[in-house]
Amino acid sequence: MSILSGKKVLLGITGGIAAYKSAILVRSLIKAGASVKVVMTESAKDFVTPLTLSTLSKHPVLSSFTNEEDENDVWNNHVDLGLWADLMVIAPATANTLSKMANGVCDSLLLATYLSAKCPVYVAPAMDLDMYKHPTTTNSLKKLQEYGNTVIPAAHGELASGLVGEGRMAEPDAIVDFIEEHLKAAAPLYGKKVLITAGPTYEPIDPVRFIGNHSSGKMGFELACKAAALGAEVVLVSGPTHLEIQNPGIKLIRISTAREMYEEVHRHYPDTQITIMAAAVADYRPAQVAGQKIKKKTASMNIPLEPTDDILASLGSVKKEQYLVGFALETQNELENAREKLRRKNLNAIVLNSLMDEGAGFGKPTNKITFISKDGTEKSFPLKSKAEVAGDIFNEILLRFDAKEN
Ligand code: CTP
């Protein structure tokens, strides 16, 4: 499956002879599994018709700020288009458009959309060889790269002028290959399945009461977002939290008890490559769950408890190729306890957070961790947002993941 599968691609077409190849580019992108919307400049319409492109893309093709044909939807909103896209590709990109993009000129829907787009932008220049070599074009491309855009280099060959040289737009399939390779390089976990747990578990006492804890689930949710951003297919098994997630790369499975978490985690574990247990799993549950609400009868009462399964230890005992990471929340002898858990549960790494550190632990937007690896590394990080902590944890995992000794 292509890394472009499921991606929303906004294709910008400008007025150059190579625009006729944009129709093939639309098809190649769709064949790779992307959905494609087209925005084109007025002059691009001299080279390829909007009808061809809308038929191939199965979306209306936009070129002006207003839409005279539909009185209920007169305004073509460049901001919405920019937000819709996972990536924008401008192919062909003429010298004129490249120069305007580099200088913030905004005299067409395509340019306004480019300026509004928050997604990665690729440009595929197409022009005659002398225009391509001209210092203004070179400067435009340099500036656009400095702004974070990616240039798909023009190819060498025969040009529309009859001259032979550099300046031909890269062929549509080469453009798709280039984008796929580029996306893969930025997504080191592409093709990998990552399992993450989050939140507390609730162990019922009776139909209205439970034993739980203060875990918000935020650390696990941030880890899931980071894993998805790195290209992984993510399964997030979460106990009860108020958090929501809308990310096509993340499959969220909500559970309530330690037993349910155990079952879901073991269902997915065999075909995952990385598993991180960030959940605060209850260690004990009531030995009997009352079928009816327990009535107040005596001055004191006891609830007999029994241990839950240690999910992480059970994963460690059946570990094959998985890179397995646990969390340790400690209040004393932190490093010692964490090292001992790493060994006892057969982990590749453990993330220690101490409740003694201000700003770390349950319910807080921040965390302060030490990453302890089986290879002996112990790296402490300063207090950071949980999103940043998730980034640090994955940086450490990626350093070791390929060379792991299980
Ligand atoms: N964990 C688990 N199943 C449990 C308890 C804990 O999978 N029944 C996991 C947690 O998700 C965490 C790690 O084990 O990744 C350590 O949890 P922690 O509560 O710090 O340690 P425990 O092993 O429960 O030991 P203790 O409570 O004695 O510190």
Side-chain angles (χ1 to χ4, degrees):
M1 193 172 67
S2 164
I3 194 167
L4 280 164
S5 175
K7 292 258 187 300
K8 291 177 257 172
V9 179
L10 187 59
L11 177 61
I13 305 177
T14 69
I17 178 64
Y20 83 92
K21 293 185 185 169
S22 304
I24 300 161
L25 181 55
V26 173
R27 279 203 47 180
S28 300
L29 288 166
I30 289 176
K31 223 167 116 198
S35 32
V36 181
K37 285 188 183 178
V38 174
V39 54
M40 65 200 299
T41 60
E42 283 304 324
S43 58
K45 292 179 185 171
D46 293 336
F47 299 95
V48 60
T49 72
L51 181 62
T52 306
L53 297 162
S54 63
T55 307
L56 290 171
S57 68
K58 301 191 176 64
H59 286 290
V61 171
L62 304 176
S63 52
S64 69
F65 287 100
T66 54
N67 179 4
E68 309 300 342
E69 282 155 30
D70 185 351
E71 59 183 27
N72 297 317
D73 191 15
V74 175
W75 175 242
N76 287 329
N77 194 331
H78 54 278
V79 179
D80 284 351
L81 268 180
L83 291 178
W84 172 84
D86 294 321
L87 53 118
M88 184 171 187
V89 185
I90 301 176
T94 58
N96 182 36
T97 293
L98 290 171
S99 167
K100 287 179 177 179
M101 286 170 72
N103 291 290
V105 178
C106 186
D107 61 1
S108 71
L109 182 70
L110 188 151
L111 288 162
T113 307
Y114 160 69
L115 285 173
S116 316
K118 291 203 182 119
C119 59
V121 177
Y122 297 82
V123 292
M127 62 201 76
D128 213 53
L129 74 167
D130 293 319
M131 292 169 79
Y132 193 55
K133 271 199 229 129
H134 197 279
T136 55
T137 307
T138 313
N139 279 339
S140 299
L141 290 171
K142 190 164 160 265
K143 248 191 194 177
L144 286 170
Q145 280 171 308
E146 281 164 11
Y147 295 156
N149 305 289
T150 305
V151 176
I152 303 173
H156 188 278
E158 192 179 333
L159 300 156
S161 59
L163 298 171
V164 173
E166 226 178 359
R168 275 168 74 104
M169 184 177 85
E171 291 301 321
D173 282 347
I175 292 178
V176 173
D177 288 348
F178 182 98
I179 296 170
E180 283 176 337
E181 289 311 312
H182 194 258
L183 289 176
K184 276 190 211 160
L189 292 180
Y190 174 69
K192 306 274 187 281
K193 189 167 165 184
V194 174
L195 173 62
I196 292 168
T197 63
T201 63
Y202 285 0
E203 309 302 327
I205 298 169
D206 68 14
V208 292
R209 302 178 181 97
F210 60 84
I211 297 173
N213 61 64
H214 290 298
S215 169
S216 64
K218 184 129 179 69
M219 192 64 247
F221 274 60
E222 291 293 358
L223 283 164
C225 289
K226 187 68 203 176
L230 291 169
E233 175 197 344
V234 183
V235 176
L236 174 61
V237 180
S238 174
T241 78
H242 296 297
L243 302 174
E244 300 286 339
I245 211 155
Q246 238 114 54
N247 185 323
I250 302 173
K251 179 176 182 196
L252 172 61
I253 300 171
R254 292 195 192 269
I255 51 83
S256 187
T257 64
R259 187 72 225 169
E260 289 165 359
M261 183 172 277
Y262 179 96
E263 276 160 18
E264 284 301 335
V265 163
H266 274 279
R267 200 153 66 84
H268 290 281
Y269 185 61
D271 62 340
T272 59
Q273 283 74 48
I274 297 171
T275 294
I276 309 178
M277 281 287 304
V281 187
D283 287 329
Y284 292 93
R285 69 176 154 238
Q288 299 287 331
V289 181
Q292 303 297 327
K293 185 182 168 205
I294 300 171
K295 299 305 269 184
K296 184 168 49 182
K297 283 186 201 128
T298 50
S300 68
M301 76 173 292
N302 293 308
I303 302 173
L305 301 178
E306 65 181 15
T308 56
D309 295 305
D310 187 321
I311 305 171
L312 185 58
S314 69
L315 297 175
S317 69
V318 294
K319 183 154 72 89
K320 291 198 174 81
E321 293 298 312
Q322 296 90 344
Y323 190 93
L324 182 60
V325 183
F327 267 69
L329 181 65
E330 304 292 342
T331 57
Q332 55 186 348
N333 299 330
E334 292 99 335
L335 278 169
E336 236 169 84
N337 285 337
R339 286 182 203 126
E340 190 275 328
K341 278 180 195 169
L342 175 114
R343 261 193 314 276
R344 176 165 48 87
K345 302 194 186 192
N346 189 26
L347 310 180
N348 296 85
I350 194 156
V351 178
L352 164 66
N353 37 160
S354 166
L355 271 189
M356 297 291 105
D357 286 326
E358 208 172 310
F362 280 6
K364 311 252 169 52
T366 51
N367 206 356
K368 185 168 181 310
I369 62 149
T370 302
F371 187 93
I372 305 174
S373 163
K374 189 182 172 182
D375 63 19
T377 315
E378 297 186 356
K379 192 163 168 189
S380 294
F381 294 85
L383 187 72
K384 294 185 180 187
S385 73
K386 285 187 172 167
E388 289 170 314
V389 171
D392 289 338
I393 291 172
F394 270 104
N395 283 344
E396 295 303 315
I397 293 174
L398 286 169
L399 283 176
R400 295 170 174 83
F401 170 59
D402 284 332
K404 67 181 174 296
E405 294 165 31
N406 278 294

